[in-house]
């Protein structure tokens, strides 16, 4: 089988929203662990900076998309425009509730001495309210065939948020291993899903009726879910033992498995479903928009390389004859876009046999 490398294929299913979210969460968790270990003396407002950047991008993207939506009524006639726009508005509202929770939590941590009378249960109210709304948003997203990862995470962990708030306020005296019971249940379901993905990938790899791309895709999903769920489970175990006083690891060591999970999610964002087209008013796939504004990427990034599996053995006489004939690489230009939009060519370079 020849070796083929398609640069555009890497970004064809790239989801920039997920990449930014998981990247911000990775940096935030790293900074928070260093802050808890007293390795840095920064203010919590600086530690939460990745979260502020995330929410700022959401707000600016929604405002830009809304302005383009109202200034161009003809855009509303596009296929699925109303669904994309409604999804953007709903997602922004949920992010505003999450931002309210983060602001209250950051203020509580930064001014712990002056916020002793502020109960954690009051701080968690926006998050609990967000989780309750997420139930309805999940059903609506299934109806319109939209992604709902954030909504699903909040809805299944609403009881976990309440237990954490009660524990921090000392209303319950349970150990953390009992406080995390809802999360243990969620992780059990996730482990079952990972086991199912691994078994399915093994079956499809040995099946001759499946095209190679689908087999590689299922194998990639199985490996990705494994590298995401297993470190999450390790992180939960380490955190529970540390908070219960069973181990004396640093918060940075406890957080390392979580960072691995976020890094895996960042990689998996290159094979995720495309994000909402109305963020920032792009109205098109992120890859198409990026190729449109960067001419250099059209010429140098939009390339497909195809090489033979192994180079043939050529003696000196054949090599000299080939040089005399002036053999060179063949360059093929083929179009990949069948839509009425401007065609962006792909250059395929085949090495000579």
């Amino acid at each position: 089988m020849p070796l083929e490398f398609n640069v555009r294929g890497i970004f064809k299913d790239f989801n920039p929203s997920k990449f930014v979210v998981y990247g911000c969460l990775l940096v935030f968790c790293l900074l928070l662990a260093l802050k808890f270990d007293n390795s840095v003396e920064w203010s919590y407002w600086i530690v939460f900076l990745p979260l502020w950047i995330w929410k700022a991008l959401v707000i600016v993207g929604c405002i830009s998309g809304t302005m383009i939506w109202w200034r161009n009524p003809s855009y509303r006639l596009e296929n699925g425009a109303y669904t994309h726009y409604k999804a953007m508005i709903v997602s922004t509202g949920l992010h505003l509730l999450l931002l309210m929770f983060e602001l209250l939590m950051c203020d509580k941590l930064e001014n712990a001495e002056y916020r002793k009378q502020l109960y954690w249960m009051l701080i968690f109210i926006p998050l609990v309210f967000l989780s309750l709304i997420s139930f309805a948003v999940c059903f609506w997203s299934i109806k319109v065939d939209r992604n709902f990862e954030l909504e699903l995470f909040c809805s299944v962990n609403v009881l976990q948020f309440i237990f954490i708030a009660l524990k921090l306020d000392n209303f319950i005296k349970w150990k953390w291993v009992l406080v995390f019971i809802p999360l243990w249940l969620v992780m059990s379901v996730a482990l079952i899903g990972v086991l199912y993905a691994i078994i399915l990938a093994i079956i499809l790899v040995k099946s001759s009726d499946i095209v190679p791309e689908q087999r590689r895709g299922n194998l990639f999903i199985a490996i990705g879910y494994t590298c995401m769920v297993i470190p999450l489970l390790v992180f939960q175990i380490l955190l529970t033992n540390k908070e219960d006083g069973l181990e004396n690891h640093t918060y940075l060591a406890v957080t390392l498995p979580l960072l691995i999970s976020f890094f895996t999610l960042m990689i998996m964002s290159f094979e995720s479903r495309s994000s909402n087209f109305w963020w920032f008013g792009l109205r098109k796939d992120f890859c198409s928009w990026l190729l449109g504004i960067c001419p250099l990427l059209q010429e140098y990034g939009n390339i497909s390389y195809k090489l033979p599996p192994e180079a043939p053995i050529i003696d000196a006489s054949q090599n000299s004859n080939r040089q005399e004939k002036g053999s060179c690489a063949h360059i093929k230009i083929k179009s990949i876009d069948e839509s009425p939009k401007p065609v962006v060519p792909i250059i395929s370079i085949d090495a000579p046999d």
Side-chain angles (χ1 to χ4, degrees):
M1 181 182 295
L3 177 62
E4 185 173 357
F5 179 71
N6 191 343
V7 178
R8 186 187 184 277
I10 297 177
F11 294 95
K12 182 177 64 174
D13 296 326
F14 175 58
N15 192 315
S17 300
K18 292 182 179 180
F19 185 85
V20 171
V21 170
Y22 298 139
C24 291
L25 288 174
L26 187 150
V27 178
F28 165 71
C29 292
L30 177 61
L31 294 178
L32 188 63
L34 294 175
K35 177 66 175 179
F36 284 165
D37 289 333
N38 295 322
S39 299
V40 295
E41 301 297 334
W42 300 343
S43 170
Y44 279 101
W45 296 102
I46 299 178
V47 173
F48 278 68
L49 182 61
L51 300 184
W52 310 143
I53 295 175
W54 167 17
K55 303 307 183 300
L57 290 175
V58 171
I59 295 174
V60 174
C62 180
I63 293 175
S64 303
T66 301
M67 291 176 61
I68 294 177
W69 171 270
W70 290 107
R71 289 182 178 180
N72 302 274
S74 60
Y75 293 164
R76 307 173 193 176
L77 302 178
E78 297 177 355
N79 186 22
Y82 274 97
T83 302
H84 285 285
Y85 181 73
K86 290 178 182 178
M88 182 183 67
I89 297 298
V90 171
S91 179
T92 304
L94 297 179
H95 278 82
L96 290 177
L97 287 174
L98 187 59
L99 176 61
M100 185 182 302
F101 162 73
E102 293 166 355
L103 289 171
L104 292 174
M105 183 173 63
C106 183
D107 180 68
K108 170 77 172 179
L109 294 173
E110 182 67 22
N111 305 289
E113 297 181 359
Y114 306 99
R115 298 291 187 267
K116 293 181 179 180
Q117 301 301 325
L118 181 62
Y119 290 108
W120 281 101
M121 195 63 203
L122 297 177
I123 296 176
F124 273 76
I125 284 179
L127 191 58
V128 174
F129 190 52
L130 166 64
S131 302
L132 296 177
I133 297 178
S134 297
F135 280 105
V137 177
C138 287
F139 288 108
W140 178 78
S141 299
I142 295 174
K143 180 180 179 181
V144 299
D145 192 22
R146 299 294 305 168
N147 290 332
F148 51 95
E149 293 185 2
L150 175 63
E151 295 82 0
L152 180 63
F153 172 80
C154 294
S155 58
V156 299
N157 287 291
V158 55
L159 189 60
Q160 181 64 80
F161 299 147
I162 296 175
F163 281 1
I164 293 176
L166 295 175
K167 174 63 176 180
L168 293 175
D169 287 331
N170 293 320
F171 287 124
I172 56 178
K173 304 297 182 180
W174 304 343
K175 291 185 177 181
W176 282 99
V177 67
L178 298 178
V179 173
F180 284 138
I181 284 179
L183 197 55
W184 294 122
L185 297 177
V186 173
M187 293 304 301
S188 300
V189 176
L191 287 175
I192 295 175
V194 169
L195 183 60
Y196 170 78
I198 294 175
I199 295 176
L200 181 62
I202 294 175
I203 295 175
L204 294 181
V205 164
K206 296 182 178 180
S207 176
S208 59
D209 299 332
I210 307 298
V211 296
E213 291 185 359
Q214 293 182 353
R215 285 184 287 183
R216 288 194 298 266
N218 284 278
L219 183 61
F220 175 82
I221 292 175
I223 296 175
Y225 284 164
T226 302
C227 296
M228 177 189 66
V229 174
I230 300 301
L232 276 177
L233 181 61
V234 174
F235 162 73
Q236 185 178 349
I237 295 173
L238 293 176
L239 181 63
T240 303
N241 291 338
K242 181 174 178 58
E243 295 300 327
D244 285 336
L246 301 179
E247 296 180 2
N248 195 24
H249 298 306
T250 62
Y251 280 101
L252 181 60
V254 172
T255 310
L256 283 178
L258 181 62
L259 301 182
I260 295 175
S261 295
F262 283 136
F263 182 74
T264 303
L265 288 171
M266 291 176 64
I267 296 177
M268 293 180 65
S269 65
F270 286 90
E271 289 292 336
S272 302
R273 296 176 58 182
S274 59
S275 59
N276 195 326
F277 295 162
W278 270 98
W279 287 113
F280 296 94
L282 298 181
R283 297 175 43 249
K284 61 177 65 175
D285 181 72
F286 176 77
C287 179
S288 302
W289 172 80
L290 188 62
L291 291 175
I293 65 173
C294 299
L296 291 178
L297 287 178
Q298 293 185 13
E299 296 188 15
Y300 300 106
N302 194 19
I303 296 177
S304 174
Y305 302 93
K306 188 175 182 181
L307 301 175
E310 58 182 8
I313 301 176
I314 303 175
D315 56 16
S317 60
Q318 293 177 348
N319 191 23
S320 61
N321 293 334
R322 173 166 294 187
Q323 291 178 357
E324 292 177 358
K325 293 179 180 179
S327 61
C328 61
H330 302 286
I331 299 178
K332 300 178 182 178
I333 300 179
K334 55 185 179 180
S335 173
I336 59 167
D337 194 351
E338 299 179 358
S339 63
K341 295 183 288 185
V343 176
V344 180
I346 274 188
I347 301 177
S348 178
I349 302 179
D350 294 340
D353 296 332

